[in-house]
Amino acid sequence: MEQQKNSRGRILTGDRSTGRLHLGHYVGTLLNRVKLQREYDTFILIADIQGLSTHWEHPEIMPDVIRQVTLDYLAVGIDPEICNICVQSMIPQIAELSVIYGLFTRMNKLRHNPTLKTEAKQYGYMTGDDLMTGFDRLTYGFFGYPISQAADITFVRANLVPVGGDQVPHIELCRDIVGKFNQLYGKGKEIIPLPSALVGDVPRLKGLDGQSSMGKSLGNAIHLSDDDKTIEKTVMKAITDPQKIRKNDPGRPEVCNVFAYHRVFTPPDEVEQIACECRKGTLGCVADKQRLAQVLKDLVRPLRERRAPWEARPDDVIDILLKGTAIARNEGAQTMALVKEAMSIKYW
Ligand code: TRP
């Protein structure tokens, strides 16, 4: 069978549904998705099963989180008329493809994945630096979720995956798996397209507490649905240069986490001025944080405004998910037919 080539490129990307999305998602990947949605066939996957690989004791959070994440998409300008927003657990072909990919993916490929390691530590599944030391805590599902993510990307035969920098090791694994699949079963043909990562061109932001990455539930992130008060509170708690103690001490923007946020969100000419005043000791940290809070409030307000009408129409939001998921399942069925034929396990 001749493989159907998509006339346009195809995007698949997504988010784990463990909480509302935040500014890290916005600059890391959401802006790219909005920008590219008219150029590519776009599939956005709400990865609830991947979310359950850490939250399996609380599956009851999923209906609300899925709704919130969908609202986040609509708020940033994902257009449901042209993008397919779909729900992972409602697409059985992803599970099927994960099992197949697991057949030929070696354990050591997973064991050395830096993102998996970081998360395993965050969730307390291990303390050392080797995933093997966590084997009595780590579940098979969590350890193997990057395989399932390769299935997420390829069940629609995607070419491009807009993601934040932390996801690059997962895309590399996916490319590895696709390469191996095609080599094993393609007889010289590309059955599954080799996808590429597209990483947002902003430096990785830490959480506003300066301690760790922005967490969906660590209280150190600005969420896309936060109100002005919450934004102010989170920013005012932020840590700046620890050596700048009094208002008029000269500061070091290059070590200040609040300044890292200015770099990303504040207009460039103001950023220079802030750096200069901070170094001279004429800008205190409180005033500096108030300035950042203002910038972030101005950024989030229009998102909240775009979210509100959808929030008032929950049935329309569900319809968007049902429609996107049906289209995705149909693509998944076509992919599985290609996969099974290539593997000669399409029997009767
Ligand atoms: N692992 C991603 C995250 O933590 C979410 C995700 C699941 C994803 N499946 C995907 C991202 C497929 C890109 C492509 O945010």
Side-chain angles (χ1 to χ4, degrees), residues 12-16 45 47 50 149 152-153 161 163 167:
L12 182 127
T13 182
D15 300 281
R16 220 178 255 193
L45 182 77
Q50 190 179 114
Q149 185 158 330
D152 294 343
I153 294 166
V161 193
V163 279
Q167 296 298 304

Short mmCIF file of all heavy atoms in Angstrom, two decimals, residues 12-16 45 47 50 149 152-153 161 163 167, ligand 1:
data_model
loop_
_atom_site.label_atom_id
_atom_site.label_comp_id
_atom_site.label_asym_id
_atom_site.label_seq_id
_atom_site.Cartn_x
_atom_site.Cartn_y
_atom_site.Cartn_z
N LEU A 12 1.68 17.48 16.00
CA LEU A 12 1.02 16.98 17.22
C LEU A 12 1.82 17.48 18.41
O LEU A 12 3.05 17.38 18.43
CB LEU A 12 0.95 15.45 17.31
CG LEU A 12 0.19 15.09 18.61
CD1 LEU A 12 -0.95 14.16 18.38
CD2 LEU A 12 1.08 14.70 19.76
N THR A 13 1.11 18.03 19.35
CA THR A 13 1.74 18.38 20.61
C THR A 13 0.68 18.25 21.69
O THR A 13 -0.47 17.93 21.40
CB THR A 13 2.37 19.78 20.56
OG1 THR A 13 3.00 20.03 21.82
CG2 THR A 13 1.35 20.85 20.29
N GLY A 14 1.08 18.46 22.93
CA GLY A 14 0.07 18.28 23.96
C GLY A 14 0.59 18.59 25.34
O GLY A 14 1.72 19.04 25.52
N ASP A 15 -0.25 18.34 26.29
CA ASP A 15 0.07 18.62 27.69
C ASP A 15 -0.51 17.53 28.57
O ASP A 15 -1.59 17.02 28.32
CB ASP A 15 -0.53 19.98 28.09
CG ASP A 15 0.03 21.09 27.24
OD1 ASP A 15 1.15 21.52 27.51
OD2 ASP A 15 -0.65 21.48 26.26
N ARG A 16 0.24 17.25 29.60
CA ARG A 16 -0.24 16.35 30.63
C ARG A 16 -1.35 17.06 31.40
O ARG A 16 -1.17 18.22 31.78
CB ARG A 16 0.92 16.23 31.59
CG ARG A 16 1.15 14.92 32.13
CD ARG A 16 2.35 15.03 32.98
NE ARG A 16 3.48 14.43 32.30
CZ ARG A 16 4.61 14.16 32.92
NH1 ARG A 16 4.77 14.49 34.19
NH2 ARG A 16 5.57 13.58 32.28
N LEU A 45 -3.05 17.27 22.00
CA LEU A 45 -3.47 16.12 22.79
C LEU A 45 -3.47 16.46 24.28
O LEU A 45 -2.45 16.91 24.81
CB LEU A 45 -2.49 14.97 22.53
CG LEU A 45 -2.80 13.66 23.23
CD1 LEU A 45 -3.94 12.93 22.52
CD2 LEU A 45 -1.56 12.77 23.28
N ALA A 47 -3.08 14.88 27.51
CA ALA A 47 -2.54 13.56 27.86
C ALA A 47 -2.97 13.18 29.28
O ALA A 47 -2.22 13.32 30.23
CB ALA A 47 -1.03 13.55 27.70
N GLN A 50 -1.04 9.99 30.58
CA GLN A 50 0.30 10.38 31.05
C GLN A 50 0.19 11.10 32.40
O GLN A 50 1.01 10.90 33.28
CB GLN A 50 1.02 11.25 30.03
CG GLN A 50 2.47 11.45 30.39
CD GLN A 50 3.25 12.30 29.39
OE1 GLN A 50 3.68 13.38 29.71
NE2 GLN A 50 3.43 11.80 28.18
N GLN A 149 4.50 8.46 24.85
CA GLN A 149 4.54 9.78 24.22
C GLN A 149 4.96 9.67 22.75
O GLN A 149 4.50 10.43 21.90
CB GLN A 149 5.45 10.74 24.99
CG GLN A 149 5.42 12.16 24.44
CD GLN A 149 5.85 13.21 25.45
OE1 GLN A 149 5.68 13.05 26.65
NE2 GLN A 149 6.42 14.28 24.96
N ASP A 152 1.90 8.92 21.12
CA ASP A 152 1.09 10.15 21.01
C ASP A 152 1.44 10.91 19.74
O ASP A 152 0.58 11.40 19.02
CB ASP A 152 1.38 11.13 22.17
CG ASP A 152 0.95 10.62 23.53
OD1 ASP A 152 0.16 9.67 23.59
OD2 ASP A 152 1.42 11.19 24.55
N ILE A 153 2.74 11.03 19.52
CA ILE A 153 3.22 11.87 18.40
C ILE A 153 2.94 11.20 17.07
O ILE A 153 2.57 11.86 16.10
CB ILE A 153 4.73 12.15 18.58
CG1 ILE A 153 4.96 13.01 19.82
CG2 ILE A 153 5.32 12.81 17.33
CD1 ILE A 153 6.40 13.08 20.29
N VAL A 161 6.67 18.85 16.30
CA VAL A 161 6.19 18.80 17.67
C VAL A 161 6.65 20.06 18.42
O VAL A 161 7.77 20.12 18.91
CB VAL A 161 6.74 17.54 18.40
CG1 VAL A 161 6.00 17.30 19.71
CG2 VAL A 161 6.65 16.30 17.52
N VAL A 163 7.24 22.15 21.43
CA VAL A 163 7.32 21.81 22.85
C VAL A 163 8.28 22.74 23.59
O VAL A 163 9.07 23.44 22.97
CB VAL A 163 7.85 20.37 23.07
CG1 VAL A 163 6.76 19.33 22.88
CG2 VAL A 163 9.04 20.09 22.18
N GLN A 167 11.15 18.84 26.90
CA GLN A 167 10.58 17.69 26.20
C GLN A 167 11.51 17.11 25.13
O GLN A 167 11.23 16.06 24.55
CB GLN A 167 9.26 18.09 25.53
CG GLN A 167 8.18 18.48 26.51
CD GLN A 167 7.82 17.34 27.43
OE1 GLN A 167 7.45 16.27 26.97
NE2 GLN A 167 7.95 17.55 28.73
N1 TRP B 1 5.11 15.32 28.32
C1 TRP B 1 4.44 16.54 27.95
C2 TRP B 1 4.46 17.49 29.18
O1 TRP B 1 4.78 17.07 30.27
C3 TRP B 1 3.02 16.33 27.53
C4 TRP B 1 2.83 15.46 26.31
C5 TRP B 1 2.20 14.25 26.27
C6 TRP B 1 3.26 15.74 24.99
N2 TRP B 1 2.19 13.74 25.03
C7 TRP B 1 2.83 14.63 24.20
C8 TRP B 1 3.96 16.80 24.39
C9 TRP B 1 3.12 14.57 22.83
C10 TRP B 1 4.25 16.72 23.01
C11 TRP B 1 3.83 15.61 22.25
O2 TRP B 1 4.13 18.64 29.04
#
